[in-house]
């Protein structure tokens, strides 16, 4: 079992992973949330697809009047500010959440390792460690994702008007109007998503990493320092990216339910994710249950690849040894 110093380092490495994940993945997440909130209603689809949604965000929420170089011509500048709506709450929430997530997973894994062979993945160790870690962070994720999602669905959309000036303003107004229970709206869906999804994530990560290391560490490959660096980054990118896609493929319907529960203005809407999914299925079929799949998978690979590389290299810099 690692000492307090190593445990603290695990939490620092986890925070670094979270920051990297938000920087790379937040724009994709904004598109996903808008598709889930607006393409599953009884009124029909607002966006044709992810590209249509992205272009609407850029031109309607990110369009700024830039400097006029020629008095006769107005020059417009497109920014990505619309795609980073709610990012400030994500940076704070994900940094804390990721720190707890990776740190708790590493500590739980060491506790459960027992007599199992070190350096080789074991389902009996990975699944409970990841599920417990995911369940723990759902308590932090629920309020931060609620403010993030409500900020993201604002704008020039049909249903939601602009009501919040910042994530903090959103949180304060939610607390005033809905109380403490309101800020934890969608908690059950988040709990199921994180417990199930992270068990899938870490099983995929640990096994893919183990198999890739076994193959690339064989004598047929060079042992030069340049190759070792490229190998470690490549394995981190591939194992992280594949694991992220596995997570979202397994849990996207639960995420759709969570988004609807957190953003629908109806205060009497059921908070049972399975009832919400049943409603979505009746309205929009299986496609509705997987609304936002395109941008979600497009985000999952680079965002989780960045997170895993940041996590592994932060750990290496901090002197944490892993099998």
């Amino acid at each position: 079992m690692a000492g307090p110093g190593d445990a603290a380092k695990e939490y620092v490495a986890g925070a670094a992973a979270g920051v990297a994940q938000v920087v790379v993945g937040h724009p994709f997440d904004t598109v996903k949330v808008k598709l889930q909130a607006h393409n599953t209603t009884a009124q029909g689809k607002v966006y044709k697809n992810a590209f249509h949604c992205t272009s609407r965000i850029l031109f309607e929420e990110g369009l700024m009047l830039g400097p006029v170089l020629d008095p006769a011509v107005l020059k417009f500048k497109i920014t990505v500010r619309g795609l980073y709506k709610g990012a400030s709450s994500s940076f704070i929430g994900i940094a804390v959440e990721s720190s707890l997530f990776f740190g708790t997973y590493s500590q739980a894994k060491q506790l459960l390792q027992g007599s199992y062979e070190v350096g080789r993945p074991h389902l009996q160790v990975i699944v409970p460690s990841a599920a417990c870690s995911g369940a723990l962070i759902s308590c932090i994720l629920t309020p931060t994702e609620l403010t993030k999602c409500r900020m993201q669905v604002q704008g020039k959309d049909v249903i939601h008007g602009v009501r919040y000036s910042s994530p903090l303003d959103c949180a304060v107004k939610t607390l005033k109007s809905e109380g403490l229970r309101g800020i934890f709206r969608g908690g059950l869906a988040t709990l199921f998503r994180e417990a199930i999804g992270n068990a899938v994530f870490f099983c995929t990560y640990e096994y893919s990493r183990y198999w890739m290391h076994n193959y690339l560490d064989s004598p047929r490959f060079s042992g030069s320092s340049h190759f070792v660096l490229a190998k470690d980054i490549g394995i981190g990118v591939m194992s992280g990216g594949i694991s992220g896609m596995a997570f979202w493929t397994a849990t996207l319907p639960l995420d759709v339910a969570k988004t609807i529960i957190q953003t629908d203005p109806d205060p009497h809407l059921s908070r049972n994710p399975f009832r919400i999914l049943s409603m979505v299925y009746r309205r929009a079929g299986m496609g509705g249950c997987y609304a936002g799949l395109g941008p979600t998978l497009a985000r999952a690979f680079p965002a989780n690849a960045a997170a895993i590389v940041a996590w592994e290299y932060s750990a290496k810099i901090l002197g944490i040894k892993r099998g």
Side-chain angles (χ1 to χ4, degrees):
M1 181 68 183
D6 285 340
K9 290 175 183 178
E10 289 282 8
Y11 290 104
V12 172
V19 171
Q21 187 174 18
V22 175
V23 170
V24 175
H26 193 83
F28 296 97
D29 187 66
T30 298
V31 176
K32 177 206 75 172
V33 168
K34 280 187 176 284
L35 288 171
Q36 290 176 344
H38 301 314
N39 278 14
T40 56
T41 65
Q43 287 76 21
K45 292 185 176 182
V46 173
Y47 304 109
K48 298 175 185 175
N49 50 45
F51 293 106
H52 178 227
C53 180
T54 304
S55 64
R56 284 271 300 273
I57 293 169
L58 285 171
F59 283 95
E60 294 179 358
E61 300 173 40
L63 197 64
M64 297 179 67
L65 187 63
V68 179
L69 300 179
D70 184 337
V73 179
L74 287 177
K75 183 179 179 181
F76 291 92
K77 178 174 70 176
I78 295 178
T79 71
V80 294
R81 65 174 182 170
L83 290 170
Y84 275 93
K85 270 190 173 181
S88 57
S89 65
S90 285
F91 274 116
I92 297 167
I94 294 294
V96 175
E97 170 262 315
S98 189
S99 175
L100 280 174
F101 174 57
F102 283 103
T104 304
Y105 171 72
S106 298
Q107 295 298 297
K109 187 180 163 190
Q110 289 180 35
L111 277 171
L112 296 173
Q113 190 69 42
S115 59
Y116 292 109
E117 180 186 348
V118 177
R120 187 183 183 91
H122 301 280
L123 285 174
Q124 303 95 318
V125 175
I126 299 168
V127 172
S129 300
C132 289
S133 181
L136 173 67
I137 61 165
S138 67
C139 300
I140 297 170
L141 276 177
T142 300
T144 57
E145 288 202 3
L146 181 137
T147 57
K148 172 186 70 69
C149 289
R150 290 187 176 187
M151 288 292 295
Q152 286 172 320
V153 299
Q154 290 187 132
K156 300 182 180 180
D157 297 307
V158 176
I159 302 171
H160 301 268
V162 177
R163 292 182 296 161
Y164 311 116
S165 59
S166 68
L168 180 60
D169 180 52
C170 177
V172 170
K173 286 181 177 176
T174 301
L175 280 168
K176 283 182 178 178
S177 62
E178 301 176 43
L180 191 61
R181 188 169 179 264
I183 204 74
F184 281 94
R185 198 169 169 177
L188 185 62
T190 307
L191 174 64
F192 284 136
R193 185 195 70 183
E194 292 302 307
I196 296 168
N198 285 307
V200 172
F201 177 89
F202 273 115
C203 283
T204 307
Y205 165 71
E206 296 281 10
Y207 278 96
S208 62
R209 180 176 179 268
Y210 176 75
W211 289 328
M212 282 188 276
H213 268 294
N214 268 1
Y215 179 72
L216 294 175
D217 287 341
S218 61
R220 76 184 74 179
F221 294 102
S222 166
S224 71
S225 59
H226 294 296
F227 173 75
V228 170
L229 179 63
K231 178 196 72 174
D232 288 346
I233 292 175
I235 290 175
V237 167
M238 291 304 298
S239 61
I242 293 168
S243 301
M245 294 179 77
F247 175 104
W248 287 107
T249 301
T251 64
L252 191 65
L254 285 167
D255 189 64
V256 170
K258 179 198 73 72
T259 297
I260 293 170
I261 291 168
Q262 292 184 330
T263 61
D264 196 293
D266 182 4
H268 304 296
L269 182 76
S270 171
R271 299 192 184 193
N272 184 320
F274 302 105
R275 287 184 182 176
I276 296 297
L277 283 176
S278 176
M279 177 189 71
V280 170
Y281 183 77
R282 290 196 302 271
R283 286 178 178 175
M286 189 57 71
C289 295
Y290 277 88
L293 179 64
T296 299
L297 294 183
R299 166 189 179 268
F301 193 98
N304 286 281
I308 288 297
V309 170
W311 181 50
E312 290 182 347
Y313 269 84
S314 296
K316 187 171 286 189
I317 291 168
L318 293 167
I320 302 170
K321 291 183 180 179
R322 293 205 182 101

